[in-house]
Amino acid sequence: MTDTNPTATDSRNCPKCNAALPIDAPAGLCPACLVAAGIGGSETAATTRKNDNTAFEPPSIETLAPMFPQLELLEFVGRGGMGAVYKARQLGLDRLVAVKILPRETGDDPAFAERFTREARAMAHLSHPNIVTVHDFGQAEGTYYIVMEFVDGANLRQTILAGRLSPEEALAIVPQMCDALQYAHDHGVVHRDIKPEN
């Protein structure tokens, strides 16, 4: 007779509520804590939001280029609450990518590397037409980065501000966003920064 009860090797506990969860639980949290984190945000997310526009100065392309010999950094795209984004060419595959650089101080938290790795892997498992594809992630000279699919064009906020969005077009976008968010949620990924720029 086979034992079907989970053992210590099959499961672990949620660090927030201590509920048992499978080893491959996305973000290492149970579904209830994932939802709570998505609604209220964690202490780390709150701290990040509070410091969005303070000390982080995006590095220049000249500073970053030696750290990424596999990429040709082309231009600075913008900065947000979680770092800066650059347009680059992935030389080996000759394709355009977006490189997101996180502030160096994020790596000062000992638990950050584990969280970053877990979240990047969870994102990389998502395959949806309305979610950018993650190609690579890692750390270069103390700087954490994610290499993603590059999507050219204006973001939703820019489109709205330019007055180029009819009510019918806006209504057509909403189901696509909801479908992508539901897909991510079904795979244990909670988007904690939903806004037109993202």
Side-chain angles (χ1 to χ4, degrees):
M1 184 165 146
T2 307
D3 183 8
T4 58
N5 292 330
T7 65
T9 59
D10 298 327
S11 66
R12 58 186 175 167
N13 294 339
C14 174
K16 297 253 183 216
C17 70
N18 207 32
L21 66 154
I23 288 174
D24 63 349
L29 299 173
C30 71
C33 289
L34 279 171
V35 170
I39 293 170
S42 67
E43 188 174 320
T44 304
T47 303
T48 301
R49 282 193 296 272
K50 184 172 68 177
N51 296 325
D52 275 356
N53 296 311
T54 56
F56 177 59
E57 187 63 35
S60 69
I61 288 177
E62 294 75 27
T63 301
L64 291 175
M67 297 165 45
F68 298 98
Q70 74 279 24
L71 302 172
E72 176 189 2
L73 295 171
L74 301 171
E75 65 183 82
F76 172 75
V77 175
R79 88 180 245 198
M82 287 298 293
V85 177
Y86 300 81
K87 179 179 178 182
R89 178 174 311 285
Q90 197 173 26
L91 297 173
L93 296 173
D94 191 29
R95 68 176 169 190
L96 292 178
V97 294
V99 182
K100 185 174 188 175
I101 305 295
L102 281 68
R104 278 186 178 252
E105 55 270 17
T106 56
D108 294 341
D109 176 1
F112 177 79
E114 182 185 344
R115 281 196 314 272
F116 176 75
T117 299
R118 192 170 51 233
E119 290 173 15
R121 286 180 177 162
M123 288 174 54
H125 284 100
L126 301 180
S127 178
H128 189 279
N130 297 323
I131 299 175
V132 296
T133 302
V134 172
H135 297 308
D136 194 14
F137 76 98
Q139 183 188 56
E141 298 180 23
T143 298
Y144 286 91
Y145 67 90
I146 299 176
V147 179
M148 301 173 284
E149 170 187 6
F150 179 77
V151 180
D152 200 7
N155 65 40
L156 185 56
R157 170 121 20 233
Q158 294 165 333
T159 304
I160 292 168
L161 291 175
R164 297 190 309 249
L165 193 64
S166 71
E168 293 78 18
E169 290 170 320
L171 285 173
I173 291 170
V174 172
Q176 295 175 45
M177 292 185 332
C178 291
D179 186 52
L181 287 168
Q182 185 63 57
Y183 176 86
H185 290 178
D186 289 345
H187 289 80
V189 176
V190 177
H191 195 312
R192 292 165 37 181
D193 196 17
I194 299 168
K195 58 188 177 184
E197 292 85 345
N198 292 342

